[in-house]
Amino acid sequence: MSALTNDLKQLTVLAEKHARWDGFFRQQLHLMPPVGWLNDPNGLCQFKGIYHSFFQYAPFNVNGGVKLWGHYTSADMIDWKYEGAVLYPDQPFDCSGVYSGSALVEEGRMYLYYTGNVKLEDREDYDYICTGREANTILVTSEDGLHFSRKRELMRNSDYPSDLTMHVRDPKVWKEDGKYYMIQGARTKKNTGQAIVFQSEDRRNWAYRSRVCTDKPFGYMWECPDYINVEGMKILSVSVQGLTGAEWVDHNVYQSGYFLVKGNILGEYGLSEYRLWDYGFDYYAPQSFQTEDGRVVLIAWMGMPDCEEYTNRTIEEGWQHCFTFPREVYRKGDAICQRPVRELESRKQKLMTASDSMNMEGHPVYEAYISGVKKNQFRAVLGKELILEYRSGRFEMRFADQNRESVSAGRSLRYADMEKLENVRILTDVSSAEVFLNDGEFVFTTRYYPEKGSFFAEAKGAEIEFFKITQN
Ligand code: FRU
């Protein structure tokens, strides 16, 4: 181990010694950084029965900074064990950050592919788009999921097509018909977002193969692409920067969604309209993986970069952000739906069933399920000020008070147009709410900061069930 790696390791441990696990807004079910900042999920996989979730981690700076990979493991995707930081920015090819990437599990080995971010020293003639930075593709392997090989540099910018800027990142790797494929997000020199596909015979030697793009330009940068097969339906998930125009007003600054793919991105393909994974305030950079029993599970960063209206109230506790609760992605006809992973069922304890309305106080971590919604009549209030309501053809998530010190931390409104509301599942942790509508065809996710857990719902003619979620 180099002296730099050794020092970074010791500094991380030192920072973590000061972690305040007792912070008031600390979550119970959701994965958070021990200290400092977390963003994207990385290297998600089930390996030899154990779930692994790596994450973009900045332990020294609660507002983000140079990125490491932190590491959690779990037997059930609910209770996670922190395993420490595993990949440090300690090489010339990743010295400005161990950026996002994915895992390929094969023949008893874990292959982790990531982007080595390099930002060259400040110079006036660097624009940091076409010049002044590098994005290198790096591989690390592991036999036990806990000890990792040396880093191996696989590709650098000169290996990528020459019409791309230096923004190429976030490799996701899969195997199809005996060959390996890698998709990366990119920004072209004409400022359009694309996904770039590479191919390999041996997981180590890679060559550019093809690209995926929309007919008309769609944003200036695509991040974290993911090619997912949901029960035979192929979808391309991308996190997009630079969507502007009427359609995107009242939305987040960046979007995470997917295209349905007709054909195969490796051959002839057509992309559908872009659909959002989530309509809430806090959702970005999702990554999928397949469980050993064949489910597609999706985890995202429950956060949003460059989000000015917002004051995250956990900063005062020395940490920031968490992941979404793991979600199964499944089909309902031609709709792609999401629901909390079924492992949650064994932790649910039903406290009450009612029709028409319900009021519950004093439970910060719960699931509420409202079924048989009649004539779209639905309204719920969480933590006294987060309002979920169907009105005028829309489902709204809005805050009663936009004071930065309040439950909202400065947020106002998000909505989705929908004709008919049938059911609502609300998964609430100490400082987050995930709301699944119509079996998860629409989802709204947000952080919020209530003083006390409280739940009120009214839905005339519907059944309302309330489950407390217990810790092991
Ligand atoms: C998405 C992202 C990725 C990048 C990582 C850096 O949130 O910008 O494209 O690899 O975060 O932390």
Side-chain angles (χ1 to χ4, degrees):
M1 188 184 297
S2 77
L4 174 63
T5 316
N6 196 34
D7 280 2
L8 286 170
K9 206 169 183 170
Q10 291 200 28
L11 284 168
T12 304
V13 171
L14 203 64
E16 287 166 352
K17 279 208 174 118
H18 295 280
R20 279 190 50 200
W21 286 103
D22 63 342
F24 183 78
F25 293 119
R26 278 276 185 191
Q27 303 267 56
Q28 287 182 24
L29 281 178
H30 292 78
L31 223 151
M32 303 162 284
V35 66
W37 164 282
L38 162 151
N39 58 297
D40 312 357
N42 295 152
L44 301 178
C45 60
Q46 189 176 11
F47 180 63
K48 302 181 179 171
I50 298 295
Y51 295 101
H52 291 257
S53 180
F54 300 87
F55 61 99
Q56 287 287 284
Y57 184 25
F60 313 129
N61 185 344
V62 71
N63 291 309
V66 69
K67 302 287 163 56
L68 283 53
W69 275 29
H71 185 199
Y72 279 97
T73 56
S74 173
D76 59 7
M77 291 188 272
I78 301 179
D79 293 320
W80 294 92
K81 176 174 180 244
Y82 180 58
E83 302 282 2
V86 288
L87 300 176
Y88 298 89
D90 53 5
Q91 300 295 324
F93 52 66
D94 66 6
C95 59
S96 310
V98 182
Y99 269 18
S100 285
S102 63
L104 173 79
V105 169
E106 211 189 7
E107 293 161 5
R109 259 182 188 268
M110 184 193 283
Y111 297 81
L112 297 175
Y113 297 87
Y114 72 87
T115 300
N117 183 45
V118 176
K119 218 173 155 198
L120 302 175
E121 72 180 274
D122 266 354
R123 253 177 42 185
E124 269 178 20
D125 54 335
Y126 285 159
D127 64 0
Y128 295 102
I129 299 170
C130 292
T131 50
R133 62 188 309 149
E134 296 170 12
N136 304 303
T137 305
I138 315 298
L139 170 66
V140 163
T141 63
S142 176
E143 271 170 33
D144 63 0
L146 295 172
H147 301 87
F148 297 88
S149 72
R150 293 174 81 89
K151 298 172 179 174
R152 182 196 283 242
E153 188 179 14
L154 303 179
M155 288 190 284
R156 48 183 70 175
N157 290 88
S158 52
D159 298 307
Y160 313 146
S162 60
D163 65 325
L164 302 180
T165 63
M166 305 308 265
H167 285 278
V168 178
R169 58 177 169 267
D170 310 334
K172 179 96 199 297
V173 174
W174 75 99
K175 190 178 184 185
E176 195 169 319
D177 297 332
K179 288 203 168 69
Y180 301 94
Y181 298 96
M182 173 190 289
I183 193 164
Q184 302 218 33
R187 172 175 182 161
T188 67
K189 287 180 179 160
K190 289 189 173 156
N191 288 320
T192 52
Q194 292 188 348
I196 307 300
V197 182
F198 301 87
Q199 186 175 319
S200 170
E201 302 284 333
D202 61 2
R203 311 179 202 93
R204 288 190 162 76
N205 295 291
W206 292 87
Y208 167 70
R209 178 184 191 281
S210 57
R211 63 181 81 204
V212 192
C213 53
T214 43
D215 293 338
K216 284 192 207 136
F218 192 73
Y220 62 75
M221 172 71 192
W222 290 5
E223 296 187 302
C224 304
D226 195 352
Y227 191 39
I228 313 172
N229 188 331
V230 185
E231 299 165 39
M233 237 164 118
K234 296 195 179 75
I235 65 177
L236 175 69
S237 169
V238 278
S239 291
V240 180
Q241 298 181 326
L243 294 175
T244 52
E247 198 188 332
W248 303 105
V249 173
D250 296 333
H251 278 83
N252 292 338
V253 52
Y254 306 136
Q255 311 300 330
S256 287
Y258 56 88
F259 304 100
L260 304 179
V261 179
K262 229 195 233 156
N264 186 337
I265 60 166
L266 299 176
E268 294 281 307
Y269 69 87
L271 301 181
S272 73
E273 297 275 282
Y274 186 66
R275 302 183 184 176
L276 293 184
W277 281 116
D278 197 294
Y279 290 81
F281 295 94
D282 290 299
Y283 190 89
Y284 199 64
Q287 185 177 93
S288 74
F289 72 102
Q290 202 172 38
T291 58
E292 288 170 356
D293 63 9
R295 291 175 286 162
V296 176
V297 170
L298 191 73
I299 300 179
W301 172 26
M302 200 193 289
M304 183 47 61
D306 305 330
C307 178
E308 276 160 22
E309 80 268 27
Y310 173 58
T311 306
N312 191 333
R313 297 198 56 202
T314 66
I315 293 174
E316 60 214 51
E317 297 175 3
W319 66 283
Q320 193 166 193
H321 302 309
C322 64
F323 283 171
T324 56
F325 189 75
R327 300 173 183 172
E328 290 174 18
V329 183
Y330 71 104
R331 275 178 73 169
K332 198 176 73 174
D334 279 345
I336 300 288
C337 297
Q338 302 166 63
R339 63 185 165 218
V341 291
R342 60 196 65 170
E343 283 78 353
L344 186 63
E345 295 303 310
S346 65
R347 305 296 181 92
K348 284 162 56 178
Q349 186 189 330
K350 196 189 265 195
L351 294 190
M352 199 193 274
T353 307
S355 35
D356 300 336
S357 73
M358 183 186 283
N359 206 354
M360 285 295 275
E361 298 283 338
H363 298 284
V365 188
Y366 61 85
E367 187 180 284
Y369 183 58
I370 301 93
S371 54
V373 174
K374 305 273 178 319
K375 295 186 189 152
N376 295 330
Q377 297 176 85
F378 176 81
R379 186 170 190 273
V381 186
L382 317 186
K384 310 276 189 221
E385 286 176 15
L386 173 58
I387 300 164
L388 309 171
E389 185 170 22
Y390 188 96
R391 55 178 189 180
S392 319
R394 286 182 166 170
F395 189 91
E396 293 184 355
M397 168 182 265
R398 66 177 195 275
F399 287 96
D401 179 359
Q402 281 175 53
N403 187 318
R404 285 179 182 230
E405 297 297 306
S406 80
V407 169
S408 74
R411 264 80 185 273
S412 57
L413 168 77
R414 291 287 180 268
Y415 60 81
D417 293 326
M418 56 191 291
E419 267 169 31
K420 190 159 189 272
L421 184 65
E422 286 159 6
N423 55 59
V424 183
R425 185 182 301 279
I426 304 170
L427 177 60
T428 307
D429 202 337
V430 176
S431 55
S432 71
E434 292 164 277
V435 183
F436 303 82
L437 309 175
N438 295 354
D439 306 312
E441 207 176 325
F442 293 83
V443 189
F444 284 72
T445 297
T446 195
R447 300 301 299 280
Y448 80 135
Y449 306 90
E451 294 300 314
K452 263 200 212 141
S454 86
F455 170 75
F456 168 75
E458 55 187 353
K460 213 161 185 303
E463 184 180 81
I464 307 172
E465 294 166 277
F466 187 96
F467 306 85
K468 166 182 165 182
I469 295 172
T470 52
Q471 294 290 101
N472 253 359

